[in-house]
């Protein structure tokens, strides 16, 4: 290996470190890290917004300082996004969805400090591993990436989808229904392959597809907020551990599970290198992997098992390093965020490609160091603060809920900056809450949403280019076999447990109101299936297959359910339900009343936004909620509302320059609209 | 209050109001822009090449508008730029405080698609365009086709991005009207992915723009012989590639000619700027002349050159001529064009 005998690479690495360690560059790295941590904390506002905010400032900066700041920011958002996930069950970013399940369950058991500490150490290890993978693969990047053709990318997405079966826990068929539903939603919009507008109903808003952000927030954040409003406390019992003890225990957990961290970090780095696969999927794949491979995971995951938190945390931080591989070596952005980073690099005259591995090797290493140092700084800050942060969980819900909700709205609005985003947020919020209530797995929906369209596109390219020959490529065969094993495991275990007989329904059917959920999914699939038949073959084949699969899986699952009711069955072999349990400790009538009140607040926010605009709504909403729900003192209300409003105004009105939709008051009284931001 | 006094007061009031109105009318362009900020709506997301160019341009442009108003860039992405275009036409004030940085497909897609949200480029006033676009066909060293002549006899795999993207539609049109033997594989997300596909042998070539060939990695590939330009997709050649054949060498059929013209005419308005109809004449004239000054400003040209970009400006009047010609396209030509731009069942 020339690389290891050739000291120029080590020289470049050393030089890059020295270049980066200049005080003002380190300062910008710190600045990036602080911004990244703050962004990770805010639900819905992720690295993409961060890049969009920061990149225009970097056009005139010293290139190394610019790289340090941008990568510093990007590398740590997936460290701090765990905080809200663990404490409130609301993921700070898409990459922290899986951390909610076990992390939040731990917090409910009074182990918030331990959970946060374990998550940070896992993030740190993952982040450093990702940087290391990036550093040592520099000499092989190009041959490595070149060896992977579109068919291989296709089967990697298939492998990701196959994880649905382990993420569906005790309800594999429901998981398939949810995944297919996610794929169908992902297919809405203009099809890149045929130009066909699929299910857009002539709405310009839907041309580019349904934005992912409001869906993620709807499915995962709103239901948790609703639960918080139902339970009326932040439900964290006083800590089981002292601050120091919790921190130490989290560290020990990571050391004990070093091999899991290693595996998940590798998985994260690998998935990161595939363009289009984002953190929103990686964390679930890692979680699914942990369920499959860890001892007794099927019994304890979802109930506050620290391994269920460590696995996704390590993977998402490792992903940042991995996602830089194709960006640096070929200029192929791993996602929308990397695309912006790429633009910033080009502005500074660094052209991705062979040059980055020879002439500009020091720049490449500066990127590696930036990622590594940012992970150390970011995790360091978080670890130092973790005992303090854990205390936030004990705050009253009336202080936390309105602020998070306002931020969720603003975050969802970043999807495509139009009203449609908020309707999507509400629709999927309702769906997410119903799914959680009726024990439908939610993760498969997200996997389908992100991976479905990628799969369809890669499949089309593979067939156009190779015909059926793509199936004969060795990498394809191996990965397809793996995927089949993962996917069919629940079926095998069912047959092993009860023989083929177990698959045949008998007895009398019993229906219950919650079976309507099946009708909802099947009904939508039937409608979409019928609509699709009007399109050309290439545009309808994907939707037809997926919708048919949904209808089939949904019908079989429903059939099983209605026939097996009333029969006591041993279902322990199926594992547990992969979601946090619904145990609210209040009578059902109270649950319904509080859920309705919460819905009223949710809708009230929208009405107010239509009347006076988003920014004036934020303080109004926070104050109203705190006064009416909690009778909080005015002073506290004003401070809370003031901080949140200043934040939203500063970032979104002044820096991002969000084009706010027109409002009723602003239209009626233009003079007022001219003064008040977003009115 | 006696009648005389109130009459005086009324007269005074009327005079003041009239005087105020006169001063508003007489407000010069400079006075107007001194008190206002211009919002530049960019129809692409933050961080893209269009966004970057718009922001670079805005800094210089504001210096050349009387009154030097600050220009704030706002990204309104969506539906291939159509969201921004439609907003500019229907929802934005027409006092000269909002300028759109649009895309060339806004000029012709409304003609071929029924479903375009009623946007009509003739309803805007055009200021100018920063650059012009010129397409070519390029092949890798490993491609079975190495000359323009061979395109008509030997199949080659052309990598392309989206279905309605020019880098696919032009190739498809050439297959149908010129008899080339391209096997088009589209669906790659961007030019970087196409280059990667070419490097790993998944594609033999693609349709790059000259902008994209004269700098960056493609320029190096051309210099080293790993990439070869086979043909320019225009009626005459750009000075960067003076010797390759172009459409005039192969196209004689008037039908093909008309269709090609429909496709390549909008390229003259690569990145067009516009304002909503009804902006006061003097302000529109000032915005147009400031555009001319900026694009010919040596400092701006040098600044873009230092960033590996070039200016190839077109005036607002030229853009309006392009739109006029496009809208005079006969229905049968539009029908042929739809075959390449709209989904086929």
């Amino acid at each position: 290996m020339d690389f290891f005998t050739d000291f120029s690479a080590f020289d470049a690495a050393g030089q890059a470190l020295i270049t980066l360690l200049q005080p003002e560059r380190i300062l910008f790295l710190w600045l990036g890290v602080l911004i990244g941590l703050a962004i990770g904390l805010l639900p819905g506002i992720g690295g993409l917004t961060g890049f969009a905010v920061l990149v225009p400032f970097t056009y005139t900066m010293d290139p190394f300082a610019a790289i340090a700041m941008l990568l510093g920011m990007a590398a740590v958002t997936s460290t701090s996004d765990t905080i809200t996930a663990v404490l409130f069950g609301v993921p700070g970013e898409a990459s922290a969805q899986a951390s909610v399940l076990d992390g939040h369950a731990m917090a409910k058991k009074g182990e918030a400090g331990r959970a946060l500490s374990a998550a940070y150490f896992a993030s740190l290890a993952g982040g450093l591993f990702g940087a290391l993978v990036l550093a040592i693969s520099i000499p092989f990047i190009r041959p490595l990436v070149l060896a992977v053709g579109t068919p291989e990318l296709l089967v990697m997405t298939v492998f990701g989808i196959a994880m649905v079966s382990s993420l569906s826990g005790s309800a594999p068929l429901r998981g398939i229904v949810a995944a297919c539903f996610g794929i169908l939603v992902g297919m809405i919009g203009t099809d890149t392959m045929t130009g066909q507008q699929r299910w857009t109903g002539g709405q310009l808003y839907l041309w580019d597809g349904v934005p992912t952000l409001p869906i993620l927030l709807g499915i995962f954040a709103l239901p948790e907020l609703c639960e918080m409003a139902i339970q009326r406390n932040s439900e964290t019992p006083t800590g089981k551990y002292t601050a120091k003890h919790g921190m130490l225990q989290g560290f020990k957990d990571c050391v004990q599970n070093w091999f899991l961290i290693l595996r998940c970090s590798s998985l994260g780095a690998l998935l990161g290198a595939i363009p289009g696969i984002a953190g929103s999927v990686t964390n679930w794949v890692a979680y699914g992997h942990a369920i499959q491979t860890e001892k007794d995971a099927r019994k304890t995951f979802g109930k506050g098992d620290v391994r269920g938190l460590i696995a996704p945390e390590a993977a998402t931080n490792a992903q940042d390093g991995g996602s830089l591989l194709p960006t640096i070596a070929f200029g192929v952005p791993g996602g929308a965020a990397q695309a912006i980073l790429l633009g910033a690099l080009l502005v500074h005259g660094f052209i991705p490609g062979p040059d980055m591995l020879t002439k500009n090797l020091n720049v490449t290493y500066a990127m590696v160091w930036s990622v590594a140092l940012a992970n150390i700084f970011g995790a360091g800050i978080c670890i130092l603060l973790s005992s303090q942060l854990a205390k936030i969980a004990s705050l009253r819900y009336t202080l936390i809920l309105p602020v998070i909700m306002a931020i969720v709205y603003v975050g969802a609005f970043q999807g495509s900056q139009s009203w449609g985003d908020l309707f999507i947020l509400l629709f999927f919020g309702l769906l997410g809450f119903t799914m959680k209530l009726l024990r439908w797995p939610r993760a498969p929906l997200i996997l389908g949403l992100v991976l479905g369209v990628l799969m369809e596109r890669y499949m089309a390219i593979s067939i156009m280019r190779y015909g059926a020959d793509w199936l004969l490529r060795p990498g394809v065969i191996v990965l397809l076999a793996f995927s089949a094993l993962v996917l069919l495991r629940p079926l095998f275990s069912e047959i092993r447990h009860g023989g083929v007989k177990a698959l045949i329904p008998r007895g009398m059917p019993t229906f219950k109101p919650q079976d309507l959920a099946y009708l909802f999914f099947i009904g939508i699939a039937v409608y979409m299936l019928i609509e699709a038949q009007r399109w050309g073959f290439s545009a309808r084949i994907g939707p037809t297959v997926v919708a048919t699969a949904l209808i089939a899986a949904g019908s079989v699952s429903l059939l099983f359910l209605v026939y097996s009711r009333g029969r006591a069955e041993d279902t322990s072999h199926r594992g547990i339900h992969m979601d946090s349990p619904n145990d609210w400790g209040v009578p059902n009538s109270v649950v319904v009343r509080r859920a309705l009140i919460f819905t009223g607040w949710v809708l009230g926010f929208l009405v107010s936004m239509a009347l006076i605009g988003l920014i004036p709504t934020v303080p109004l909403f926070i104050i109203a909620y705190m006064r009416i729900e909690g009778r909080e003192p005015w002073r506290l209300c004003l401070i809370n509302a003031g901080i949140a409003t200043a934040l939203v105004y500063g970032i979104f009105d002044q820096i991002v320059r969000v084009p706010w939709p027109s409002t009723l008051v602003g239209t009626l009284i233009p003079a007022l609209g001219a003064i008040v931001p977003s009115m | 209050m006696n009648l005389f006094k109130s009459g005086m007061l009324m007269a005074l009031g009327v005079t003041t109001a009239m005087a105020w109105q006169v001063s508003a009318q007489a407000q010069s362009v400079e006075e107007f822009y001194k008190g206002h900020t211009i919002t530049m709506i960019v129809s692409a997301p933050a961080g893209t090449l269009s966004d970057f160019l718009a922001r670079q341009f805005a800094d210089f442009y504001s210096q050349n508008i009387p009154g030097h108003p600050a220009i704030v860039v706002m990204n309104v992405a969506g539906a291939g730029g159509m969201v921004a275009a439609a907003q500019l036409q229907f929802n934005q004030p027409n006092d000269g405080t909002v300028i759109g940085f649009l895309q060339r497909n806004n000029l012709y897609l409304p003609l071929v698609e029924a479903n375009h949200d009623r946007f009509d480029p003739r309803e805007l006033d055009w200021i100018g365009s920063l650059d012009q676009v010129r397409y070519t066909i390029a092949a890798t060293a490993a491609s079975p086709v190495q000359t323009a002549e061979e395109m008509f006899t030997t199949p080659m795999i052309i990598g392309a991005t989206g279905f309605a993207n020019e880098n696919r539609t032009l190739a498809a049109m050439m297959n149908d009207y010129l008899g080339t033997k391209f096997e088009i594989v589209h669906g790659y997300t961007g030019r970087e992915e196409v280059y990667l596909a070419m490097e790993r042998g998944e594609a033999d070539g693609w349709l790059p723009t000259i902008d994209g060939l004269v700098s960056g990695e493609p320029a190096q590939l051309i210099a080293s012989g790993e990439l070869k330009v086979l043909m320019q997709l225009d009626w005459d050649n750009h000075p960067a590639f003076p010797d390759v054949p172009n459409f005039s060498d192969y196209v004689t059929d008037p039908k093909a000619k008309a269709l090609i013209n429909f496709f390549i005419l909008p390229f003259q308005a690569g990145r067009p700027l516009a304002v909503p109809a009804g902006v006061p004449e003097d302000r529109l004239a000032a915005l147009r002349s400031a555009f001319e000054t900026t694009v010919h400003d040596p400092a701006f040209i040098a600044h873009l050159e230092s960033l590996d970009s070039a200016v190839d400006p077109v005036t607002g009047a030229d853009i309006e001529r392009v739109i006029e010609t496009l809208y005079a396209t006969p229905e049968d030509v539009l029908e042929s064009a739809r075959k390449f731009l709209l989904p086929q069942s």
Side-chain angles (χ1 to χ4, degrees):
Chain A
M1 255 315 85
D2 279 354
F3 181 69
F4 293 108
T5 49
D6 177 6
F7 286 95
S8 67
F10 289 107
D11 267 2
Q15 255 178 6
L17 183 61
I18 294 165
T19 316
L20 202 62
L21 286 176
Q22 304 285 326
E24 86 272 8
R25 290 179 183 142
I26 283 294
L27 204 68
F28 275 110
L29 180 64
W30 268 103
L31 184 67
V33 167
L34 291 179
I35 295 174
L37 289 178
I39 283 174
L41 263 178
L42 303 175
I45 299 160
L48 186 57
T49 314
F51 275 125
V53 170
L54 289 184
V55 159
F57 292 105
T58 62
Y59 288 157
T60 49
M61 272 167 68
D62 158 60
F64 285 94
I67 289 173
M69 182 166 85
L70 291 174
L71 287 179
M73 188 275 298
V76 299
T77 50
S78 48
T79 305
S80 64
D81 61 3
T82 319
I83 297 172
T84 47
V86 167
L87 299 183
F88 314 121
V90 176
E93 267 211 76
S95 58
Q97 300 161 83
S99 310
V100 169
L101 299 191
D102 283 287
H104 192 44
M106 285 175 77
K108 282 182 178 170
K109 290 198 290 187
E111 298 181 347
R114 175 190 175 189
L116 288 178
S117 162
Y120 299 142
F121 279 112
S123 295
L124 175 62
L128 290 180
F129 183 84
L132 186 71
V133 166
L134 181 61
I136 51 179
S137 50
I138 283 172
F140 325 104
I141 295 182
R142 288 184 64 88
L144 210 67
V145 176
L146 282 176
V148 176
T150 304
E152 283 78 18
L153 292 174
L154 168 62
V155 286
M156 284 187 213
T157 58
V158 171
F159 181 72
I161 286 261
M163 276 297 168
V164 162
S165 78
S166 56
L167 288 171
S168 309
S170 54
L173 285 175
R174 286 184 178 188
I176 291 176
V177 171
C180 289
F181 183 72
I183 297 178
L184 287 176
V185 171
M187 283 174 172
I188 294 174
T190 311
D191 175 26
T192 22
M193 302 312 298
T194 60
Q196 175 71 51
Q197 287 180 17
R198 301 195 287 201
W199 307 297
T200 57
Q203 297 290 314
L204 213 52
Y205 172 72
L206 290 175
W207 276 25
D208 295 334
V210 186
T212 319
L213 200 55
I215 299 185
L216 292 175
L217 287 171
I219 290 277
F220 284 97
L222 276 192
E224 299 301 333
L225 289 175
C226 183
E227 284 196 358
M228 206 190 276
I230 290 172
Q231 286 173 314
R232 297 217 162 163
N233 57 37
S234 307
E235 86 280 296
T236 335
T238 37
K240 218 186 246 175
Y241 301 96
T242 62
K244 204 171 144 199
H245 189 191
M247 203 189 327
L248 212 66
Q249 183 59 40
F251 177 68
K252 277 188 198 155
D253 289 328
C254 286
V255 174
Q256 269 167 13
N257 291 295
W258 67 272
F259 189 50
L260 177 66
I261 291 184
L262 192 68
R263 291 193 324 262
C264 288
S265 302
S266 322
L267 202 60
L270 184 74
L271 287 176
I274 303 173
I277 293 196
S280 51
V281 167
T282 308
N283 66 120
W284 287 121
V285 175
Y287 192 78
H289 170 75
I291 292 176
Q292 284 197 318
T293 54
E294 288 293 295
K295 191 164 178 282
D296 288 335
R298 279 169 202 278
K299 292 188 185 131
T300 55
F301 268 44
K303 293 178 182 164
D305 188 323
V306 74
R307 293 172 300 174
L309 178 62
I310 289 175
E313 285 300 319
T316 48
N317 277 59
Q319 175 177 344
D320 293 323
S323 70
L324 285 174
L325 287 172
T327 313
I328 295 173
F330 291 94
V332 176
Q338 281 79 22
I340 298 183
L341 177 68
L342 201 64
L345 282 178
L346 286 171
V347 167
H348 287 291
F350 301 123
I351 300 157
D355 274 1
M356 293 300 285
L357 311 175
T358 51
K359 204 172 79 193
N360 293 327
L361 194 59
N362 58 333
V363 179
T364 307
Y365 275 110
M367 296 172 82
V368 177
W369 284 116
S370 297
V371 171
L373 289 177
N375 266 292
I376 295 173
F377 293 164
I381 294 175
C382 286
I383 290 166
L384 286 179
L385 292 178
S386 68
S387 61
Q388 300 302 316
L389 289 168
K391 286 183 193 152
I392 300 177
S394 57
L395 287 178
R396 287 185 298 280
Y397 80 103
T398 40
L399 293 182
I400 297 162
L401 193 143
V403 176
I404 296 190
M405 208 150 104
I407 292 173
V408 164
Y409 270 108
V410 183
F413 192 69
Q414 302 312 307
S416 59
Q417 304 181 334
S418 76
W419 270 100
D421 298 339
L422 299 178
F423 298 134
I424 304 269
L425 174 76
L426 284 196
F427 176 81
F428 281 92
L430 191 64
L431 184 67
F433 187 70
T434 315
M435 286 174 81
K436 183 156 194 273
L437 200 66
L438 301 181
R439 301 167 71 87
W440 282 71
R442 291 178 286 172
L445 197 156
I446 305 297
L447 282 185
L449 180 72
V450 177
L451 295 177
V453 264
L454 270 183
M455 217 161 84
E456 191 188 24
R457 189 166 61 82
Y458 286 148
M459 176 94 74
I461 295 179
S462 299
I463 293 173
M464 260 193 278
R465 173 62 180 83
Y466 301 101
D469 289 351
W470 66 274
L471 280 164
L472 301 175
R473 293 161 73 110
V476 171
I477 295 173
V478 171
L479 264 169
L480 273 185
F482 260 121
S483 311
L485 276 181
V486 170
L487 189 66
L488 297 177
R489 194 183 171 282
L491 185 69
F492 292 148
S493 108
E494 193 69 21
I495 293 174
R496 203 167 47 228
H497 179 78
V500 183
K501 259 207 332 268
L503 301 178
I504 301 163
R506 55 212 133 92
M508 283 300 288
T510 331
F511 289 95
K512 284 193 177 175
Q514 55 257 46
D515 298 342
L516 286 174
Y518 282 99
L519 291 188
F520 167 80
F521 285 116
I522 294 175
I524 287 187
V526 169
Y527 168 75
M528 290 176 104
L529 184 63
I530 293 170
E531 281 279 296
Q533 301 314 308
R534 294 189 282 125
W535 311 329
F537 177 79
S538 312
R540 76 165 181 261
I541 176 71
T544 305
V545 170
V546 175
T548 312
L550 191 162
I551 296 167
S555 313
V556 172
S557 176
L558 181 62
L559 211 64
F560 258 103
L561 192 71
V562 298
Y563 277 99
S564 66
R565 273 195 189 118
R567 265 188 296 137
E569 257 191 295
D570 171 24
T571 55
S572 59
H573 63 284
R574 291 182 193 152
I576 53 141
H577 173 56
M578 285 306 152
D579 210 333
S580 43
N582 308 308
D583 179 16
W584 298 322
V586 283
N588 274 341
S589 58
V590 178
V591 169
V592 173
R593 201 180 69 232
R594 289 181 181 172
L596 284 178
I597 294 175
F598 178 78
T599 314
W601 282 109
V602 168
L603 294 176
F605 193 104
L606 285 190
V607 172
S608 165
M609 188 180 149
L611 290 176
I612 59 172
L614 202 152
I615 291 178
T617 298
V618 170
L620 186 73
F621 179 82
I622 293 177
I623 292 171
Y625 194 93
M626 289 175 73
R627 289 292 306 167
I628 297 170
E629 288 270 319
R631 302 198 186 291
E632 299 286 352
W634 274 106
R635 209 177 112 87
L636 202 57
C637 295
L638 290 175
I639 294 175
N640 211 7
I643 294 174
T645 314
L647 194 80
V648 171
Y649 172 74
I651 296 181
F652 294 99
D653 194 77
Q654 289 300 301
I655 303 180
V656 183
R657 301 276 175 191
V658 170
W660 305 108
S662 57
T663 63
L664 195 66
V665 173
T667 317
L668 290 178
I669 317 168
L672 207 58
I675 315 168
V676 183
S678 88
M679 189 177 275
Chain B
M1 191 181 287
N2 67 41
L3 200 68
F4 174 72
K5 248 188 177 172
S6 63
M8 277 294 279
L9 269 178
M10 205 192 279
L12 192 70
V14 169
T15 342
T16 324
M18 274 172 63
W20 188 81
Q21 206 165 18
V22 168
S23 86
Q25 269 170 6
Q27 188 184 29
S28 71
V29 173
E30 183 170 355
E31 281 160 356
F32 175 79
Y33 279 122
K34 258 199 178 130
H36 285 92
T37 300
I38 292 182
T39 304
M40 187 184 277
I41 295 182
V42 176
S43 63
T48 53
L49 186 61
S50 284
D51 171 60
F52 167 70
L53 284 175
R55 286 172 195 269
Q56 304 306 312
F57 173 73
D59 288 347
F60 286 84
Y61 192 37
S62 105
Q63 295 313 307
N64 291 319
I65 299 173
H68 310 309
I71 298 183
V72 172
V73 172
M74 190 183 260
N75 301 91
V76 179
M82 210 54 95
V83 171
Q87 258 195 25
L88 197 66
Q89 183 183 342
F90 298 110
N91 304 344
Q92 295 296 342
N94 59 357
D95 57 358
T97 56
V98 179
I99 299 176
F101 195 93
L102 304 179
Q103 299 175 25
R104 60 180 173 278
N105 62 17
N106 301 150
L107 306 185
Y108 65 88
L109 280 185
L111 267 174
V112 289
E113 280 177 3
N115 180 8
H116 56 78
D117 216 37
R118 308 186 323 281
F119 173 70
D120 187 336
R122 292 170 298 181
E123 295 295 319
L124 299 181
D125 283 323
W126 297 88
I127 294 176
S129 162
L130 278 189
D131 62 3
Q132 307 181 37
V133 179
R134 294 182 173 87
Y135 274 90
T136 64
I137 294 178
T140 61
S143 160
V145 173
Q146 289 296 323
T147 64
E149 293 302 327
E150 286 170 350
M151 298 191 307
F152 300 92
T153 53
T154 315
M156 77 182 272
I157 296 162
I158 293 282
T161 59
F163 175 82
N165 195 293
E166 289 142 359
N167 65 40
R168 190 203 74 89
T169 51
L170 286 173
M173 181 187 69
M174 288 176 68
N175 275 349
D176 281 16
Y177 283 79
L178 272 66
T180 48
K181 301 237 176 302
F182 301 139
E183 288 170 11
I184 306 166
V185 174
H186 67 283
Y188 296 102
T189 41
R191 70 175 210 153
E192 299 84 4
E193 267 196 37
V194 178
Y195 275 107
L196 181 53
M198 279 157 59
E199 199 165 342
R200 67 180 175 224
E202 237 174 68
D204 299 320
W206 84 300
L207 275 60
T209 60
I210 287 188
D211 269 5
L213 286 179
V214 291
S215 63
E217 208 199 338
Q220 297 167 7
L221 293 176
I222 288 182
S224 67
E226 287 166 79
L227 192 69
K228 191 177 174 193
V229 173
L230 302 180
M231 180 181 169
Q232 179 156 347
L233 305 185
D234 206 340
W235 297 111
D236 44 27
N237 280 9
H238 185 268
F241 301 97
D243 302 324
V244 295
N246 61 44
F247 279 138
S248 359
D249 297 301
Y250 300 107
V251 184
T252 45
D253 175 24
K255 248 186 172 169
K257 250 184 187 163
L259 187 62
I260 288 171
N261 277 330
F262 178 78
F263 272 100
I264 70 173
L265 195 60
F267 296 168
Q268 290 177 19
R271 293 176 205 283
L273 282 89
V275 291
V279 171
E281 280 299 323
D282 53 343
R283 281 176 217 160
L284 178 62
L287 290 176
R288 282 184 165 166
S289 103
F291 177 86
E292 288 303 305
T293 319
T294 310
V295 292
H296 293 109
D297 174 4
F300 177 61
I301 295 170
H303 177 68
L304 279 197
E305 253 165 31
S306 74
L307 299 164
D308 250 349
S309 303
V311 196
D312 195 352
V314 177
T315 65
D318 280 340
I319 297 180
E320 276 162 17
R321 262 194 295 281
V322 165
I323 294 170
E324 222 171 277
T325 318
L326 282 174
Y327 273 74
T329 309
E331 184 53 36
D332 61 319
V333 177
L334 288 182
E335 201 45 49
S336 323
R338 286 192 185 106
K339 192 175 156 241
F340 301 102
L341 291 164
L342 301 185
Q344 302 297 306
S345 45

